């Protein structure tokens, strides 16, 4: 699977970010790849490799299921062929964002996120108060045949006071500026799988 800068959903994503700071693209990646990523997420969850997600950063991070209830596994190069293909595609996106917006994005931190039925993540920002390196959030959903009545939407809080709900349907990519859009994950009636990540900019050199 080769994602190119001329991929129509990628071009639309760039236009959306320039105009409003967020984008929702369906069928961003091939169904075969999202299916393999979903299979890997389920297999790793069944093997007990996913851990309860924490709230906060570094030494201050704690598990608080009253705020978020997902289980995660960080994605690293070499874990699987499907994972490496996804990371390669995301690097094309990173380079395109840098070319278009001069963001200085240096890397991607990314994890599988598994929400069991009823799990949620309360409203929050992806950028930490004491660390502003997270610049662009990107989420790929891995759930086939998702219906609106099953819940589980990503709810974005937009600048004009309105909201946008993104259903976690397989192949849908949600992308937004990390420091600008509070959001939450609504509870679902079935397992909800995604790959959630953040492009981080270069840190400023010390004076």
């Amino acid at each position: 699977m080769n994602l190119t800068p001329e991929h129509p959903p990628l071009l639309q994503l760039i236009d959306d970010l320039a105009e409003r700071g967020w984008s929702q693209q369906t069928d961003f990646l091939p169904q075969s790849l999202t299916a393999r990523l979903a299979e890997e997420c389920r297999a790793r969850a069944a093997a007990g490799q996913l851990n309860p997600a924490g709230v906060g950063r570094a030494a201050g991070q704690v598990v608080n299921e009253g705020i978020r209830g997902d289980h995660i596994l960080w994605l690293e190069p070499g874990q699987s062929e499907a994972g490496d293909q996804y990371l390669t595609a995301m690097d094309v996106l990173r380079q395109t964002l840098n070319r278009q917006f001069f963001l200085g994005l240096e890397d991607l931190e990314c994890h599988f996120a598994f929400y069991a039925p009823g799990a949620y993540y309360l409203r929050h920002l992806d950028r930490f108060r004491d660390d502003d390196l997270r610049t662009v959030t990107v989420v790929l959903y891995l759930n086939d045949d998702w219906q609106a009545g099953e819940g589980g939407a990503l709810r974005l809080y937009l600048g004009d006071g309105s909201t946008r709900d993104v259903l976690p349907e397989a192949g849908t990519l949600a992308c937004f500026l990390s420091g600008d859009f509070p959001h939450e994950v609504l509870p679902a009636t079935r397992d909800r799988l995604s790959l959630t990540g953040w492009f981080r900019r270069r840190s400023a050199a010390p004076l």
Side-chain angles (χ1 to χ4, degrees):
M1 192 282 304
N2 292 317
L3 182 69
T4 69
E6 293 75 33
H7 185 46
L10 178 52
L11 295 174
Q12 184 60 56
L13 182 152
I14 295 299
D15 288 345
D16 289 346
L17 288 185
E19 179 181 349
R20 63 194 184 192
W22 65 272
S23 182
Q24 174 187 349
Q25 298 298 318
T26 60
D27 300 321
F28 190 82
L29 295 177
Q31 291 183 358
S32 58
L33 178 57
T34 57
R36 284 187 291 143
L37 290 167
E39 181 180 0
E40 180 178 352
C41 184
R42 290 189 182 281
R44 292 185 180 276
Q49 297 177 12
L50 276 66
N51 296 309
V55 178
R57 190 172 74 88
Q61 189 175 89
V62 296
V63 174
N64 185 338
E65 293 185 356
I67 296 176
R68 65 182 297 186
D70 55 325
H71 286 63
I72 66 171
L73 175 70
W74 293 99
L75 188 63
E76 302 290 346
Q79 283 181 347
S80 69
E81 181 183 356
D84 286 350
Q85 288 185 8
Y86 178 72
L87 292 175
T88 297
M90 290 300 99
D91 202 56
V92 173
L93 175 55
R94 180 188 65 83
Q95 295 177 48
T96 304
L97 290 169
N98 279 342
R99 254 192 327 270
Q100 296 295 324
F101 302 120
F102 306 102
L103 294 174
L105 303 176
E106 192 166 61
D107 60 20
L108 173 74
E109 54 179 6
C110 177
H111 61 63
F112 284 111
F114 182 99
Y115 288 80
Y120 55 86
Y121 194 165
L122 296 182
R123 179 172 171 167
H124 63 284
L125 272 176
D126 282 344
R127 179 174 286 180
F128 299 114
R129 293 178 181 176
D130 61 345
D131 182 346
D132 63 356
L133 298 186
R134 286 182 176 179
T135 304
V136 179
T137 299
V138 59
V139 187
L140 178 72
Y141 295 106
L142 308 174
N143 312 283
D144 282 331
D145 302 318
W146 196 275
Q147 305 299 315
E150 294 171 319
L154 168 71
R155 176 164 291 171
L156 292 173
Y157 291 85
L158 308 181
D160 61 1
S162 65
T163 60
R164 171 78 175 195
D165 284 358
V166 180
L167 291 181
E169 175 68 19
T172 294
L173 189 85
C175 185
F176 53 92
L177 300 179
S178 302
D180 292 355
F181 294 95
H183 55 283
E184 64 179 312
V185 175
L186 303 180
T189 61
R190 55 180 274 203
D191 292 344
R192 178 190 188 276
L193 317 178
S194 69
L195 272 166
T196 300
W198 305 271
F199 291 112
R200 301 188 305 176
R201 65 176 180 82
R202 302 181 186 95
S203 58
L207 299 176

